[in-house]
Amino acid sequence: MKYSQLKATALATGCVLISAATAIGFASDRQAPAMRTINGRASLTQVPHAGISSSDTSSHGALSPTVPIQNAMTAVVSAQQGFPQEFRPPEDFYLRGSRARDSGGPHDFYFTRAIYSGYGYRRMGSWAIDFPKADRQFLWGLRRLTNIDAYEAENAVRLTDPGLRSFPFLYALEVGRMSLTEAEVEALRSYLLAGGFLMIDDFWGTYEWQNFEYEIRRVRPEHTIVELPMDHPLFNTFYSIDELLQVPSVRIARYGGVTWERDGYVPHVRGIFDDAGRLLVVINWNTDLGDAWEWAEDPYYPLPYSTFAYQLAVNTIIYALSH
Amino acid sequence: MSNSLFELLFKYSPYVFQQGRFVFSAAWPSMALAAVLLVAGLLAVVRYRKVGGKSGPVDRVVLASIRTLVLVILLFCLLQPALVVSVAVPQENFVGILIDNSQSMQIADRETLPRSEFVAQAFGAEGSELLDALSENFKLRFFSFSDVLERVDGVEPLIYAGNQTYLGMALDGARQELASVPLSGLVLLSDGADNALGGISDSIQSLRAASVPVFPVGLGVERFTRDIEISRIDVPRTVLAGSSVGVDVIIEHKGFGGSTVVLIVEDDSGIVSRQDVELPRQGDSTVVKATFTADEPGPRVFRVRIAPQEGEMVTQNNQRDVLVSVQDRADRILYYEGMPRHDVAFLRRALHEDHNLQLTVLQGTAENKFLRLDILDEDELFGGFPKSREELYEYRGLILGNVRVHLLTSDQQQMVVDFVSQRGGGLLMIGGHSSFAEGGYAGSPIAEVLPVVLPVAEEGATAHSATEIQIQPTLFGMTHPVIQLADTLEDSREHWRQLPPLTVVNQIFSVKPGATTLLVGTSESLPQPQIVLAHQRYGRGKALAFTPQDSWLWQMHHDIPLEDMTHETLWRQLLRWLVQDVPGQVELTTSRDRYAPGQSVRVTASVRDETYIEVNNSQVTARIISPAGLEEELPMDWSLDADGEYQAFFTPKELGFYEIHVGAHRNGDILGQETSHIEVADLSSEYFDAEMRAPLLQRIADETGGRFYTPDTVSALPEDIGHSEGGTTVLEVKDLWDMPILFIFLIVLIGVEWTYRKLRGLA
């Protein structure tokens, strides 16, 4: 089933399905291993890395993301009733370039999606996969789960936009199709050197890795890409993540089967550090966090995937905001 | 009236009148004198009442008054007025002559001749009238003094090389030296420079008690015509290594108003700061702020100087040295951020390479959930913001960023206040939706500490919509070390002009009385300039307010070049300054930072416990390490004058840096320790404030019963000192009836009467 068909199905049955999801899915006991882990108070008060610790001082026990996510999804889908099936805004709609443009801003955090050049994928390019629903649904969760003053809507910015550096957190996906222009290479290099943080998501297998690696080496040729160990602070800034879950695309997730695509059998979280040891780029390879955010409200979408996707992204953002 | 004119009219010098007792020598009883005076007056009045002719009442009054005055003067003379004065018995008494042997006597301000030239002429030359006159009646004893007093046989051995002058010590020493002989007085030949710390009052009291008058002769001019002097330098005694150090240089000048001079700060490695200074046309004094970076840890001497200018009377006072103790320690700062935002990441990056600042972050990530960064152990901040003073006082600085006031309990709010006022810590509040008034701080105890006036706003009230402001330093801020973003003031000013705007959501337009504003922001949408950075002292500590919410834009903005260090520099300087003067549990001070060999050093330690309450029952020891490495351990005693204050004294002999290490214990537990340095050097303060200090010398004369002279008036000294009450004296009666002034008065009165009669046509 194509994404547009899935969306249409979801929209047509939205309210009913959400009710069902509330009654069955979210309220049920379908906890993923990672979920159970993070709900243990002991794990929340551990100090997994020298000099860093996340502590929960609430008297009523550990925080659970389940209820907030559920509430957030309900609101998102309700708001989604008016969405067209094919979201085709004008080309310049996303080009904000200024943090103060939104009425309540500037906020402390903007979930900023990179608009980059790449091989054609639909009308809007590969950068726009899952856009904007995934961004909005993730932001609903982020605002509910944390106290980050996050702008509630999507914020896509071209790499060459002079205002890009006003958004220190950047999200890019489907980078297997990325093909940066020289201007974009220079802009991204400048962004990262100035202090920006880039989160990569949703690309699979050797071929796409090689394409991404080629492009990112044009940006940062002097730095190597390394695997982030599970004791890295990123996995403990908010949730304690003990293992990496491979989040498949929505089609596989809903209907079962293998979770990988192409030859991307094992999920990885890799990073690029600068000379001072600052993490510049977090690379989520062989996994699709964006799909999990986008379909988190779907009662047929497995909860462990969306839970893990929210946890890893929340951790990544808090890490970026504090390191 | 000059002394010579006075003496011409009144026959004797003022000092004789001052010392003498007035009497009438005539044998007539006083009642008879009064009767004669009364009768003479009445006769004059009666006689003139009967005068008729052309004279009117006014004429009669005038003529009667004149005639009465003439009679009174005549009668005064007939009564034989006289002064009874003490007169020294010739060659029975001693006079001590104290000659200033310090460097300031070489200053050539006596018509291009040095001050010492007068000494040579008056007391060294053959046939000197002054020396002869004194020698005629007194036995002279010569002393030279600077930082020591020495007996000398004459003025020949004097080389005027002393680099300190202790007037009190010299007067005390001479008085004691001559205590066993009849002493008519001490003659003090000096410019009045006194470098002693204790003042001169005690010495004057001793001289008065011993009835030893002092006759100072002031050498030099009271005001230079052309001179530039670095009169004082205010500099922090202790800074962290790598800190930008701001010094206040007080420059005094005469005759150089409107001139531009170059102020240079240098150390062993060369020039560290250089700036042009235009000396004010109005007034003699100006304060210049100079900034430089102190990199190398340890005691460092910085020299501040202005090149000698043409026509300067004294060039040696164009430079001063200051000692700065550069410490390579890591000061801890707690940064409590109420929610995740970019400031934390960028601030931590800014301090990443600053090993002297250790930033510990407590960041609220959700309700009752915290992220702790750079903690020392697992227990640190485990329960969130510190709940005890001991825990909070571990830090020297505290940053509150976007923390609503309700996230702090009442006790925690009071702890923050005490952190500043009692512990002496530095508090900084950063702007944001949950800071200042928008965070509910108006009316809270913490608002009292902040240097800004918070508008009244309910906690949780919607913050103002963000306003972009262009930020500029204030006139004062421009020279503040925190604000310096470039090597020179002009470059720094230009750098500030080019910085992109930031945003504020906390509209603050005024600071409290006594607070200082360093940065302001302007915007067309604001009614008045926004306070951006302000600070004030509060108790023992200081509090700062930084109102923008997104200073990280000075790192990320696309107008900021990648190599630009504005964000890093500003935050490093700001936070270093925040904790610069924060005391530890043991606070060590010395009365000065530079001493001459042999000068006594007073070491004072203030000792407090973990909650910064003064401790009087601790064991405090000072370990003194000399430049040669010799160690001396001194027990420090509670001074009784103040709680928690302990003192010890030592006398350094070697030249170089002395390290002073103080440790305090109580019941076997270490309360704290502190290290400081002093420099022992051949200090020369002789050329500073080197104009002749006539007021001090006049005071010595007045309070001891002597008289103050200058080289122009010193000729009266031999006679005056002969009438002092010191030594072996006899009483002598000096007639006053033949004072020229009386005869002049008589002639004038008779002449006036004659002229009046002539003019009025009277007989």
Side-chain angles (χ1 to χ4, degrees), chain A residues 51 53 55 57 165 195 322, chain B residues 348-349 368 370 372 374 556 558:
Chain A
S53 176
S55 64
T57 61
R165 279 171 52 176
S322 56
Chain B
R348 293 184 71 218
R349 284 178 213 166
N368 291 327
F370 297 99
R372 300 174 294 160
D374 297 321
M556 282 297 288
H558 63 84

Side-chain angles (χ1 to χ4, degrees), chain A residues 273-284:
Chain A
F273 294 84
D274 67 7
D275 294 335
R278 183 174 77 84
L279 183 58
L280 307 177
V281 185
V282 167
I283 306 158
N284 294 287

Side-chain angles (χ1 to χ4, degrees), chain B residues 8 83 93 116 144 155 190 198 264 274 290 329 345 383 412 425 427 448 468 477 493 575 585 611 636 647 755:
Chain B
L8 180 68
L83 282 174
N93 294 296
S116 58
S144 79
V155 300
S190 174
I264 292 172
R274 180 191 181 96
R329 62 166 194 249
Q412 285 173 324
L427 170 69
E448 289 294 313
E468 273 195 353
R493 191 176 287 117
L575 296 186
Q585 285 180 241
T611 58
M636 299 185 71
Q647 285 187 348
T755 306

